[in-house]
């Protein structure tokens, strides 16, 4: 154990900023991080035990206790539940003879829930020993457990196929489902062309000027102008500059970065190198969500080839002094790490808790140095902007929204998948494109966005109207919007809150409890107005997660108030939310007593 641990710590130069990698490696080799390992890591890195424990306890995929020889993480996103997740869960539990959240008595199987793993177009899906299983059925779930119990390797249990990436290192069940190619991201692409041709005649300032001219806004969801961000960062002096790519797409329902990462990794790395040239940085980090660990070998092979072909490394493209390289930094399961300052904290080996802003990352980012953070799609788009010019890009799309946008479309439609559209498409056009029928509602931008009904289907997908990071979940008339969607989203926010702000931590729970009360038929009219008032409170929270936590309630009451009103009791104005028997039972369960209230 000691030797193993020292070897791992040494691999990362005993650098405390690489604590995430150290914990991931120990997990990979030992299955969990024991108390002894925590002590050993702390000693080797010269930090306190608490420093190690706080990181270890923060992330879903870390554990200080064994999670079984084989660990199954079953996605519990709303779409997974809509497509049969509960039946699959039951089959896992019955065959393993073990409940979710536990490890089987023989220690062979551990069953755990997890938030959206970026597979909404092929649900139900699970991560089993790091491999992704898609389109699960109860029969397949049963076969998986039987195979694992017999001692088979997980690789022998999934149906291997070459993904759309067509690379031997990407043998996986994951299908890329690119169903519409547009003028930018999925147009013809020649790796390295921009680095070895276009950049030669451009100064860093001219690159930034073209990015500004293109009017591209960050594709992760916040929509900040990319050129402006690069310009700010390039002006801050004092310290090394960094280029970070946010590949932590955790918004339930989004999976378009997954597809870019496997179809256009060369383009992504080229975009990061262009950013390095523009702001004067020689170091890039791809912060990749743990859910995409199955891509690791493939992405490393793409990086190696880029180094061999002088698309990374020194004097890139023959430009003297243009040095840039990229390393992959994995997360370990935390939605909040999609927030840029939480991502930085995580990349530095700490809990992914958002920082107070200002200062912004362009001034004090990774290791307190000037840093730009952009989304996968943004970096890919930049390659085409420099190749064809900012003007060319700005003429695609609609007013205020230049270029194309990748949509991850899932739910009730014939053709779920990834679509590259010009900004400005209406929701009606989108529904027709994907073969959606009897659509009751569309969830725009995942839980952080809004739930809209047919009266809004004429609206446009663009920054001036329905802005989106790309997640589009379609819901037909058979769905119970409040139970299947809004309740699932509130549970998601409760699970993913980092807990720092009272407004986020407490009110997500209060909103969920009030919603449950209504769903159970115990609600009264004043509960709806309470929800409306309370749902605004999380907006004062520190980061986007808390600020959006009330959105599922706000937009569903705004657009589907009749669903709430149909469930509450009319003419009753007293609160029926308190149930004496349930409350006594809960407290007895907690202290281990048998209730006696009669
Ligand atoms: Fe953490 Fe929520 Fe506050 Fe964000 S808003 S910092 S997730 S508690």
């Amino acid at each position: 154990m000691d030797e193993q641990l020292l070897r791992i710590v040494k691999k990362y130069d005993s650098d405390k900023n690489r604590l995430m990698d150290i914990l991931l490696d120990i997990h990979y080799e030992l299955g969990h991080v024991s108390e002894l390992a925590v002590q050993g890591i702390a000693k080797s890195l010269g930090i306190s035990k608490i420093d190690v424990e706080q990181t270890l306890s923060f992330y879903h995929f870390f554990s200080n206790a064994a999670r079984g020889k084989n660990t199954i993480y079953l996605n519990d996103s709303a779409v997974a539940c809509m497509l049969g997740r509960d039946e699959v869960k039951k089959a896992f539990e019955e065959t393993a003879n073990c409940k979710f959240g536990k490890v089987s008595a023989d220690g062979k199987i551990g069953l755990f829930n997890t938030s959206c793993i970026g597979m909404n177009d092929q649900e139900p899906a699970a991560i089993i020993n790091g491999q992704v299983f898609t389109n699960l059925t109860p029969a397949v779930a049963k076969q998986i457990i039987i195979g694992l119990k017999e001692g088979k390797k997980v690789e022998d249990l999934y149906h291997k196929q070459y993904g759309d990436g067509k690379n031997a290192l990407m043998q996986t069940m994951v299908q890329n489902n690119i169903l519409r190619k547009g003028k930018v991201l999925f147009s013809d692409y020649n790796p390295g062309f921009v680095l070895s041709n276009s950049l030669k005649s451009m100064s860093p300032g001219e690159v930034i000027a073209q990015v500004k001219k293109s009017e591209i806004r960050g594709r992760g969801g916040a929509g900040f102008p990319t050129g402006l961000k690069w310009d700010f960062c390039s002006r801050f002096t004092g310290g090394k500059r960094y280029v970070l790519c946010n590949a932590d797409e955790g918004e339930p329902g989004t999976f378009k970065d997954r597809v870019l990462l496997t179809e256009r990794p060369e383009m992504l790395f080229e975009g990061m190198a262009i950013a390095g040239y523009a702001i004067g940085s020689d170091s890039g980090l791809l912060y990749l969500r743990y859910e995409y660990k199955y891509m690791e070998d493939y992405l490393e092979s793409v990086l190696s080839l880029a180094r061999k072909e002088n698309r990374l490394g020194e004097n890139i493209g023959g430009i003297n002094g243009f040095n840039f390289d990229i390393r992959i930094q994995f997360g370990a399961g935390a939605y909040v790490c999609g927030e840029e300052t939480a991502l930085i904290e995580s990349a530095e080996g700490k809990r992914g808790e958002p920082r107070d802003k200002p200062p912004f990352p362009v001034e004090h980012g990774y290791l307190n140095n000037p840093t730009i953070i952009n989304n996968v799609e943004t970096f890919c788009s930049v390659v085409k902007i420099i190749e064809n010019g900012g003007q060319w890009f700005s003429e695609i799309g609609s007013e205020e929204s230049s270029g194309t946008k990748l949509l991850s479309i899932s739910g009730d439609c014939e053709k779920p998948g990834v679509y590259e559209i010009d900004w400005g498409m209406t929701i009606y056009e989108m529904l027709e494109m994907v073969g959606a029928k009897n659509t009751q509602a569309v969830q725009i931008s995942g839980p952080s966005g809004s739930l809209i009904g047919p009266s809004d289907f004429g609206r446009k997908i663009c920054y001036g109207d329905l802005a989106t990071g790309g997640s589009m979940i379609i819901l037909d008339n058979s769905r119970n919007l409040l139970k299947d969607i809004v309740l699932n989203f509130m549970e998601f926010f409760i699970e993913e809150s980092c807990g720092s702000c009272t407004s986020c931590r407490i009110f997500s729970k209060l909103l969920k409890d009030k919603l449950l009360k209504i769903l159970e038929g115990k609600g009264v009219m004043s509960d709806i107005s309470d929800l409306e008032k309370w749902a605004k409170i999380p907006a004062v929270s520190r980061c986007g997660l808390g600020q959006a936590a009330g959105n599922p309630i706000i937009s569903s009451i705004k657009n589907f108030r009749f669903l709430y009103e149909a469930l509450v009791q009319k003419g009753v104005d007293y609160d029926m939310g308190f149930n004496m028997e349930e409350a006594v039972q809960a407290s007895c369960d907690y202290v281990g007593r048998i209730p006696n209230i009669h």
Side-chain angles (χ1 to χ4, degrees), residues 58 335-336 339 342 352-356 493 496-506 508 538 540-549:
F58 189 78
Y335 166 72
V336 70
E339 197 278 343
E353 285 184 11
R355 297 175 179 173
D356 285 326
F493 282 124
E496 297 296 335
S497 167
C498 82
S500 288
C501 318
T502 311
S503 46
C504 168
R505 186 182 68 244
I506 304 292
S508 301
V540 301
S541 305
R542 193 196 307 162
C543 85
L545 186 153
Q547 288 156 13

Side-chain angles (χ1 to χ4, degrees), residues 318-333:
I319 302 173
N320 245 346
F322 175 21
N323 307 332
F324 190 77
D325 211 335
I326 297 168
R327 81 167 173 84
I328 300 174
Q329 172 65 64
F330 276 99

Side-chain angles (χ1 to χ4, degrees), residues 100-117:
F100 263 71
K102 306 265 184 225
V103 176
S104 62
D106 58 9
K108 286 185 178 172
I109 311 286
L111 299 176
F112 298 91
N113 294 316
T114 194
S115 300
C116 185
I117 62 170

Side-chain angles (χ1 to χ4, degrees), residues 542-557:
R542 193 196 307 162
C543 85
L545 186 153
Q547 288 156 13
N551 286 1
I553 300 284
I554 293 170
S555 65
S556 58
I557 293 183

